[in-house]
Amino acid sequence: MRKQTKYVKHYYYFLLFALTSILITSLIWNIKNEYQSTVKYATAEGDASYHKDLLFRQWAAVHGGVYVPITDHTQPNPYLEYIDDRDITSTSGKKLTLLNPAYIIRQVFELAEKHSGVKGHITSLNPIRPENKADDWERDALIKFNQGANKYSELVITEGKEYLRFMSSMKVEKQCMKCHAHQGYQIGQTRGGISVSVPMDKYNIIAKEKIKKLVTAHLLMYIIFVSFSTLGYRQITNEMNIKHMMQLKIKTNEAHLKLKNKESEKANQNLRIVNDKLIMAKEKAEESDRLKTAFLQNMSHEIRTPLNAIYGFSGMLNQPDLEEQDSKMYVSIIQKSSDQLLAIVSDILTISSLETKQVKTIIETTNINNLLFDLKTIFNSQAKDKGIELKIHIELKDHLSIIQTDKTKLYQIFTNLLTNALKFTDKGFIEFGYTKENDYLKFYVKDTGVGIEPTMQSKVFDRFRQVEMNEPKGGNGLGLSISKGFIELLHGKIWLESKIGQGTTFYFTLQQNT
């Protein structure tokens, strides 16, 4: 009774731990993805701003600059004094001055900063205008441009505010030579760049709102699962306690009835009535035990359902602006994690059934040779992927290799042993098959893997036990324990022989007429 209660308790805590790990991983991944998205959106805005400014500049350069009225805000450019027609007078007497492309872009930058907070700066390592001198960040970007880069972006903190700084290079074109030929530039050279600073405030606000919704959704899922699991756990333990108390009470009263057997018929009749009631209570407790088993099975299904929902939902959380390769990788990771969790739950339920003796055997006619060849077909591709030769050994002809056993459990035993052999073998071969010895068959799975330490050989069949390795090989440590349970259920035994660095051989026996 205590063993069953302890198992249910461990199973309950394991489920809570597994779901907590999945939800935390999912939440962290989504939060990270949201912040990455804000950087991508800000970069896209910076790139769009750059191309808009570049188009303004190209348009002005194509026209050789633009003449505009002289105002307090727009004064003649002192750096264009070498141009004879920098200042002209219109036919109506209005004084006009030539705005070169850089002058136009600077005024566009001023309007953009007032309107959206996006700052722009046109600069180079050899500016005509001192105000166009590059700051430290821009200087680093310009040096990268001279080394072959075309774009550069980075998150920085400026005056206590976070900005996405984006810069792209500008090449010297034919129309640029009017203003910059005297600097010694040649067409096609990198002349400088346009720097754009996009404030991150608005993007961070949006990201925080999305993160709040993600946290709420994950927390709601967690609360629902914990509530369901706790309710089921309490119901199961209560029924187990009731059953235990009833059994103790029945034993006590049966002993009391024996001592009172010589009393009067009337008293004896009353005792029989009491005993009948107790028997009914016992049957009710046994019925509760059957209901508990059914509930555990149903709980397994219910656990898989929300985990599968998490599995599917996580695959849909990919943002549309993610690179396709990254999106596939993230989805693959979540899916594999979900598959592993489902496999672990399945193994734990199998161990539970073995512990509570709920596993039933289905004896049927089984052709051992056919079963082994099916296994070779299934595992052959995995062996080839690792460069390992997979061998099979059969000793009896097909018509003599027929036995009465539980085919499904025998198949699972071999699957577990072959999976272990592939996991711990990196070169050489794996051989499996059987030999005929007296009235039973001795099956084996032999590998040339790393081997098992002598101190570990007596422990590998324990639940959750794995061979200690320098490099983790994965798995939940239940395969050998499940295999041992199935073999004993079929009235066989299992053992192993192993040498470090030379490999391991697992043996198990079954009667030929099991």
Side-chain angles (χ1 to χ4, degrees), residues 29 44 92 133-134 145 167 188 190 195 207 209 230-231 298 351 375 384 484 490:
W29 178 84
S92 62
K133 180 181 179 182
F145 295 160
M167 192 172 183
T190 298
S195 169
E209 289 298 322
T230 302
L231 179 62
N298 183 60
I351 283 292
L375 286 165
K384 287 182 177 179
K484 182 175 182 291
L490 297 173

Side-chain angles (χ1 to χ4, degrees), residues 254-375:
E254 285 179 345
H256 182 71
L257 285 173
K258 289 180 180 179
L259 295 175
K260 297 292 183 179
N261 192 40
K262 296 181 180 180
E263 293 184 358
S264 63
E265 185 64 25
K266 184 177 181 180
N268 191 42
Q269 182 66 28
N270 291 335
L271 288 174
R272 284 196 295 270
I273 294 174
V274 172
N275 191 48
D276 290 339
K277 291 181 178 180
L278 290 174
I279 291 174
M280 292 176 62
K282 179 182 178 182
E283 292 174 351
K284 185 176 181 180
E286 292 174 346
E287 178 64 18
S288 295
D289 185 59
R290 288 192 294 270
L291 292 174
K292 177 208 70 174
T293 301
F295 179 79
L296 279 173
Q297 294 172 348
N298 183 60
M299 185 177 182
S300 171
H301 171 74
E302 294 296 329
I303 291 170
R304 291 168 187 258
T305 299
L307 290 179
N308 279 328
I310 295 170
Y311 170 89
F313 179 69
S314 298
M316 296 173 61
L317 290 178
N318 298 292
Q319 297 297 319
D321 56 326
L322 281 176
E323 293 293 336
E324 183 178 0
Q325 183 179 358
D326 292 340
S327 176
K328 288 181 179 179
M329 180 183 69
Y330 295 152
V331 172
S332 176
I333 291 173
I334 296 172
Q335 289 174 337
K336 287 179 181 178
S337 298
S338 299
D339 290 341
Q340 291 171 357
L341 182 59
L342 288 175
I344 291 172
V345 172
S346 178
D347 284 348
I348 291 177
L349 290 176
T350 301
I351 283 292
S352 171
S353 298
L354 287 169
E355 289 289 338
T356 56
K357 303 187 184 302
Q358 298 297 318
V359 178
K360 304 297 182 183
T361 57
I362 302 176
I363 305 302
E364 59 182 321
T365 300
T366 303
N367 188 305
I368 300 300
N369 290 356
N370 290 344
L371 185 143
L372 295 182
F373 279 116
D374 288 344
L375 286 165

Side-chain angles (χ1 to χ4, degrees), residues 96-299:
L96 304 175
T97 187
L98 178 66
L99 261 64
N100 64 327
Y103 202 158
I104 295 172
I105 292 301
R106 285 197 301 274
Q107 292 195 349
V108 171
F109 287 160
E110 292 174 2
L111 291 174
E113 185 173 0
K114 292 179 181 179
H115 177 72
S116 62
V118 178
K119 299 178 181 181
H121 187 217
I122 185 168
T123 184
S124 74
L125 294 175
N126 185 26
I128 297 176
R129 183 172 177 266
E131 289 84 351
N132 289 345
K133 180 181 179 182
D135 60 24
D136 293 340
W137 186 89
E138 292 170 333
R139 187 181 303 106
D140 292 340
L142 290 169
I143 292 173
K144 288 182 172 62
F145 295 160
N146 288 334
Q147 295 172 350
N150 292 318
K151 294 181 180 181
Y152 183 60
S153 64
E154 185 181 13
L155 282 175
V156 298
I157 304 296
T158 303
E159 297 178 354
K161 294 184 66 176
E162 187 178 30
Y163 287 88
L164 186 283
R165 297 204 69 177
F166 174 89
M167 192 172 183
S168 189
S169 64
M170 293 189 301
K171 304 291 184 181
V172 176
E173 300 176 356
K174 183 177 180 180
Q175 56 266 29
C176 301
M177 300 302 288
K178 178 178 179 180
C179 300
H180 296 278
H182 68 284
Q183 290 181 280
Y185 286 118
Q186 296 181 0
I187 296 175
Q189 283 186 319
T190 298
R191 177 162 50 83
I194 296 178
S195 169
V196 180
S197 297
V198 180
M200 294 297 295
D201 293 348
K202 58 183 177 181
Y203 294 108
N204 288 335
I205 290 173
I206 294 173
K208 288 178 181 178
E209 289 298 322
K210 290 184 178 180
I211 289 171
K212 286 182 181 179
K213 293 180 181 179
L214 285 171
V215 172
T216 302
H218 283 71
L219 183 60
L220 182 60
M221 291 171 61
Y222 184 75
I223 292 173
I224 292 174
F225 181 85
V226 170
S227 299
F228 172 77
S229 301
T230 302
L231 179 62
Y233 169 71
R234 290 178 178 176
Q235 184 175 349
I236 292 172
T237 52
N238 286 340
E239 290 180 356
M240 293 176 69
N241 290 333
I242 292 173
K243 175 187 174 182
H244 181 63
M245 292 177 63
M246 288 295 183
Q247 289 175 339
L248 291 176
K249 190 173 182 179
I250 289 172
K251 290 180 180 180
T252 301
N253 281 281
E254 285 179 345
H256 182 71
L257 285 173
K258 289 180 180 179
L259 295 175
K260 297 292 183 179
N261 192 40
K262 296 181 180 180
E263 293 184 358
S264 63
E265 185 64 25
K266 184 177 181 180
N268 191 42
Q269 182 66 28
N270 291 335
L271 288 174
R272 284 196 295 270
I273 294 174
V274 172
N275 191 48
D276 290 339
K277 291 181 178 180
L278 290 174
I279 291 174
M280 292 176 62
K282 179 182 178 182
E283 292 174 351
K284 185 176 181 180
E286 292 174 346
E287 178 64 18
S288 295
D289 185 59
R290 288 192 294 270
L291 292 174
K292 177 208 70 174
T293 301
F295 179 79
L296 279 173
Q297 294 172 348
N298 183 60
M299 185 177 182

Side-chain angles (χ1 to χ4, degrees), residues 269-500:
Q269 182 66 28
N270 291 335
L271 288 174
R272 284 196 295 270
I273 294 174
V274 172
N275 191 48
D276 290 339
K277 291 181 178 180
L278 290 174
I279 291 174
M280 292 176 62
K282 179 182 178 182
E283 292 174 351
K284 185 176 181 180
E286 292 174 346
E287 178 64 18
S288 295
D289 185 59
R290 288 192 294 270
L291 292 174
K292 177 208 70 174
T293 301
F295 179 79
L296 279 173
Q297 294 172 348
N298 183 60
M299 185 177 182
S300 171
H301 171 74
E302 294 296 329
I303 291 170
R304 291 168 187 258
T305 299
L307 290 179
N308 279 328
I310 295 170
Y311 170 89
F313 179 69
S314 298
M316 296 173 61
L317 290 178
N318 298 292
Q319 297 297 319
D321 56 326
L322 281 176
E323 293 293 336
E324 183 178 0
Q325 183 179 358
D326 292 340
S327 176
K328 288 181 179 179
M329 180 183 69
Y330 295 152
V331 172
S332 176
I333 291 173
I334 296 172
Q335 289 174 337
K336 287 179 181 178
S337 298
S338 299
D339 290 341
Q340 291 171 357
L341 182 59
L342 288 175
I344 291 172
V345 172
S346 178
D347 284 348
I348 291 177
L349 290 176
T350 301
I351 283 292
S352 171
S353 298
L354 287 169
E355 289 289 338
T356 56
K357 303 187 184 302
Q358 298 297 318
V359 178
K360 304 297 182 183
T361 57
I362 302 176
I363 305 302
E364 59 182 321
T365 300
T366 303
N367 188 305
I368 300 300
N369 290 356
N370 290 344
L371 185 143
L372 295 182
F373 279 116
D374 288 344
L375 286 165
K376 187 176 189 299
T377 300
I378 293 172
F379 282 91
N380 199 43
S381 61
Q382 299 180 40
K384 287 182 177 179
D385 289 342
K386 295 190 68 174
I388 299 170
E389 182 183 5
L390 185 62
K391 302 179 181 180
I392 186 170
H393 174 81
I394 57 176
E395 191 164 292
L396 300 175
K397 294 183 179 181
D398 286 350
H399 69 281
L400 297 176
S401 67
I402 297 174
I403 67 172
Q404 299 295 318
T405 189
D406 190 320
K407 181 179 180 180
T408 300
K409 290 179 176 57
L410 180 58
Y411 187 91
Q412 183 63 48
I413 293 166
F414 265 111
T415 298
N416 290 343
L417 295 177
L418 286 170
T419 299
N420 270 5
L422 281 167
K423 186 188 302 181
F424 294 101
T425 304
D426 295 322
K427 61 182 180 179
F429 67 89
I430 295 173
E431 179 178 329
F432 67 104
Y434 67 93
T435 58
K436 177 76 166 64
E437 296 189 9
N438 299 325
D439 61 343
Y440 63 87
L441 298 179
K442 183 168 77 172
F443 298 90
Y444 70 93
V445 175
K446 179 180 181 180
D447 65 62
T448 57
V450 295
I452 302 174
E453 290 282 354
T455 56
M456 292 294 298
Q457 293 181 14
S458 61
K459 301 177 181 179
V460 296
F461 296 105
D462 295 342
R463 286 185 299 161
F464 306 108
R465 173 72 67 174
Q466 291 180 294
V467 177
E468 296 178 0
M469 304 288 296
N470 292 330
E471 296 181 5
K473 295 291 185 179
N476 54 40
L478 294 177
L480 291 177
S481 180
I482 292 173
S483 298
K484 182 175 182 291
F486 284 169
I487 291 169
E488 291 176 348
L489 198 64
L490 297 173
H491 308 293
K493 63 178 182 178
I494 184 171
W495 70 98
L496 66 90
E497 295 176 359
S498 181
K499 291 184 179 180
I500 293 297

